[in-house]
Amino acid sequence: MNTQATPSPQFYLTAPAACPYLPGEMERKVFTHLVGQRATEMNDLLTQGGFRRSQNIAYRPACEGCRACVSVRILANEFVPNRTMRKLIAVNGDLVGTMLPAQPSTEQFALFRRYLDDRHPRGGMSDMSALDYAIMVEDTHVNTRLIEYRKRVPGAGLGDQPKGELVGVALTDLMSDGLSMVYSFFNPKLDRRSLGTFMILDHIARTHQMGLPHVYLGYWVRGSAKMHYKTRYQPQEHLTPRGWERYSEADDSEG
């Protein structure tokens, strides 16, 4: 009989650094490594506890004087798209989303670079190379997939492998209670399609079809305009000191 205890994860704390979301604030993170046979199970537990994954690292904010970062998850089984969202789904009716193994391609990287150069030219990922992108996709010990969004080729059957133009990609973790959107990027010139919103809506639909309850969106940052979009998808829950609680914009007492 093996009585050896299962090793517990070791947690570490980063040094203070400038916050990328709130001017004048400093951020710190607590993190651990997601490796070994229990990595998928640990990723589930940590994500449900407010952590996010980046490659084989799980992290969450541990800022000393700020609690603006709040974990968000959409209740997929209760979600009903509003009129604007339904119109957007119709606009993108010619797209096919295909879930694939987490394997990078030169086509994906070209789209990734196009997205970064247009949307985040001075961001922390702006100098990523093809090797960096491959590591971002492949360096994982958890149940990860890529979802490619392509234009449907005229005349192609529903069961055919899509071969049309690649317009968006989502790196997504499959979890016991839903999908966690790790990172997504898209053709920045296709403004009419609002591909960032469409990919979230598609993940909600996929999660509902899988019979699972949650889509994890990462952190909503109170006071950050560029994070406000995450509160559009109702109903949703926010992780509070009391656990996961339903949230609506009317509940926000900011200011």
Side-chain angles (χ1 to χ4, degrees):
M1 179 177 178
N2 185 4
T3 59
Q4 183 176 359
T6 302
S8 299
Q10 300 296 307
F11 291 89
Y12 308 90
L13 188 63
T14 65
C19 176
Y21 300 107
L22 300 177
E25 296 288 348
M26 302 295 288
E27 71 166 2
R28 301 189 76 177
K29 293 175 180 152
V30 60
F31 69 94
T32 189
H33 296 278
L34 292 169
V35 295
Q37 295 181 347
R38 296 183 63 237
T40 293
E41 175 190 354
M42 188 61 60
N43 187 47
D44 277 19
L45 292 173
L46 290 176
T47 300
Q48 292 160 5
F51 281 71
R52 292 291 287 165
R53 185 181 72 81
S54 177
Q55 298 175 47
N56 64 359
I57 296 291
Y59 68 90
R60 68 172 297 173
C63 307
E64 295 176 1
C66 179
R67 295 294 181 268
C69 292
V70 180
S71 294
V72 174
R73 68 186 186 188
I74 303 166
L75 300 176
N77 292 333
E78 299 180 42
F79 177 82
V80 178
N82 61 29
R83 182 171 178 269
T84 300
M85 293 172 178
R86 292 195 299 271
K87 290 176 65 175
L88 182 59
I89 292 170
V91 165
N92 289 290
D94 62 335
L95 299 186
V96 179
T98 305
M99 187 173 285
L100 302 167
Q103 298 174 352
S105 70
T106 55
E107 187 181 21
Q108 293 166 12
F109 178 68
L111 183 63
F112 177 69
R113 281 289 357 149
R114 188 176 180 185
Y115 171 78
L116 289 181
D117 292 344
D118 186 275
R119 296 296 179 93
H120 306 286
R122 291 177 295 276
M125 304 172 73
S126 60
D127 60 350
M128 285 182 64
S129 65
L131 177 59
D132 295 326
Y133 174 73
I135 292 172
M136 181 179 81
V137 172
E138 293 180 323
D139 190 8
T140 174
H141 291 252
V142 305
N143 199 1
T144 305
R145 297 289 186 274
L146 284 172
I147 303 178
E148 290 189 343
Y149 296 87
R150 295 180 179 272
K151 292 183 179 178
R152 182 179 287 111
V153 176
L158 293 178
D160 295 342
Q161 183 73 16
K163 299 295 184 183
E165 177 188 353
L166 181 68
V167 300
V169 178
L171 181 63
T172 301
D173 287 348
L174 306 184
M175 297 176 47
S176 60
D177 66 334
L179 299 178
S180 177
M181 298 185 70
V182 176
Y183 193 79
S184 59
F185 54 93
F186 50 85
N187 185 334
K189 301 303 181 184
L190 301 179
D191 290 337
R192 186 179 70 91
R193 290 184 178 272
S194 297
L195 288 167
T197 298
F198 174 72
M199 286 193 282
I200 293 175
L201 294 172
D202 180 70
H203 277 69
I204 297 171
R206 288 174 182 269
T207 302
H208 180 68
Q209 291 166 4
M210 295 165 67
L212 298 174
H214 303 129
V215 175
Y216 289 84
L217 284 188
Y219 300 116
W220 167 65
V221 183
R222 180 178 280 111
S224 173
K226 63 183 178 181
M227 285 293 182
H228 180 69
Y229 74 92
K230 293 190 178 184
T231 61
R232 298 174 188 163
Y233 307 92
Q234 301 283 341
Q236 64 180 232
E237 293 179 330
H238 289 188
L239 186 58
T240 76
R242 298 173 296 278
W244 289 98
E245 296 184 332
R246 280 182 179 256
Y247 168 87
S248 71
E249 290 182 294
D251 298 330
D252 187 8
S253 59
E254 179 186 359

